[in-house]
Amino acid sequence: MTSHALWWTKRGVLFFFCFIDLLKLSTAYSVSDANNIHNLLFNQSGYNTLVLPDYPVNVSVEYNLLTVNSLDLKSQTLSTSGWFTVVWNDSRLAWTTSSYGNIEHIYATEDIVWHPELIVQNSITELSNLGDDTTVRIQYDGEVRWELPAVLSTSCDMDVTYFPYDSQTCDIEVASWGFHTDAVKLIFLKTNLNLQDYRTNGEFDLVTTSQHSSELIEDGLAYSELLFRIVFERLPGHYIMSVIFPVIITAVLTSVTFILPVESGEKVGYILTVLLALAVLLTLFADNMPTTSKHTSVLVVFLTVTLGLASVVIIITILIIRLYHKPDHYIAPNWIHSLVRNFQKSRCSSASINHLDKSAVTENNPATDRSNWNEKNSNLDNIKPYTHYSNKELAEFFDNFFFVVFTVLYILVTLCFTITLSAAE
Ligand SMILES: *[C@@H]1O[C@H](CO)[C@@H](O)[C@H](O)[C@H]1NC(C)=O
């Protein structure tokens, strides 16, 4: 009895596996079935690739972004790799799956089926129809799916005002070519760009993407157009280190000229070197900027202002050296003396200026003894109105004075610059 049952169980298992095999056989792909489908669709029915399947044909398009290759400021181009998925219905390309071994999809090349013509309108390399002997997948209900790979260089109007804290908005514009809106209507396949396979870029962060449809009008005929919009934000780290810091540091070096002693004979050489370094930085940087004058970069303005200030420093330095080397019998114009005197009066508490005052007085009145001077100094309002400073003292005074003025000026300009840039964030 038990052996009999065992025999039947074995039989059952065997039958079960045979049944699975049969099932597999019935869904298996067979070349002859696929051949029959191709014959049915393209030979027997007299398929004409020039005849539109519908009027209008709704063509759904999706853009799948793979990588951003470059976002070039100078040439204002965005280079991307990706592909378009284009889907439409062609009722002539339908078959009954049960009659053809349950085959649900066949593959063909685009040139044997009717297909829309698409161009990327803002491409800067070539303006030709997308697709070049690519494969289309035809589903049993007539849905045709066409995948178009494309490395695109598209123009993109970039705003460099807040470089390197800029963000750029770039569009990829796809338009129907040849068929106007009544014949081919482009619609979006998905609600947004496909970023599933997107690989991040080291220079830019992809912030958002969006889609907009529009129309291209020519001679009263409208052509369907789709815009795929991508917003990038620059990662500024590299530029902070290689552009912003060097510029600020070089700018700071400018005002140091004034504390370099005249005797060293290095003043003009030093400031000219700093000016040259600034000019090189400006040139290097300007080379990477677009030649458009639509947007002015804050960084370029900062560099230009710094360069202008450095030129003023050169002029002042040369005048100070000139004054320093004037012969002793030359007496500077009265207005200079009164300027220095008034300035020192207002800052009478400063020790260094008292010192200057003291030497000035003693030098011009060698007879004055120290106690007498101290007496005078205790009441600065009584400083002799016509005390003359020596040329060297005037030069030193102006050196110190302009050192303070230009340091404050540079701090202000640098603060303005950084505040403007950080406002962009
Ligand atoms: C194709 O037809 C199917 C079924 O009628 C429909 O769901 C689909 O949206 C159509 N596709 C397009 C691109 O119009």
Side-chain angles (χ1 to χ4, degrees), residues 93-137:
L93 301 175
W95 66 90
T96 322
T97 48
S98 54
S99 320
Y100 294 93
N102 288 327
I103 291 181
E104 292 191 341
H105 302 105
I106 60 160
Y107 296 88
T109 50
E110 76 196 25
D111 53 346
I112 65 164
V113 295
W114 175 89
H115 60 85
E117 300 287 358
L118 299 174
I119 63 159
V120 175
Q121 207 190 312
N122 60 344
S123 164
I124 57 150
T125 45
E126 52 177 359
L127 210 55
S128 58
N129 293 332
L130 289 171
D132 180 26
D133 274 347
T134 39
T135 304
V136 292
R137 189 178 87 148

Side-chain angles (χ1 to χ4, degrees), residues 58-60 87-89 141 143 187:
N58 286 324
V59 176
S60 313
V87 180
W88 68 93
N89 283 328
D141 59 0
E143 191 185 84
I187 50 175

Side-chain angles (χ1 to χ4, degrees), residues 42-56:
F42 301 112
N43 300 335
Q44 291 162 20
S45 66
Y47 187 91
N48 186 343
T49 55
L50 301 177
V51 176
L52 271 71
D54 209 347
Y55 202 85

Side-chain angles (χ1 to χ4, degrees), residues 164-165 239-249 299 417 421:
Y165 288 96
Y239 291 96
I240 290 175
M241 284 300 166
S242 69
V243 178
I244 309 256
F245 273 145
V247 167
I248 291 179
I249 290 166
L299 195 57
F417 166 67
L421 270 194

Side-chain angles (χ1 to χ4, degrees), residues 157-169:
D157 186 17
M158 300 187 199
D159 183 351
V160 293
T161 311
Y162 296 112
F163 179 89
Y165 288 96
D166 52 337
S167 61
Q168 309 294 351
T169 305

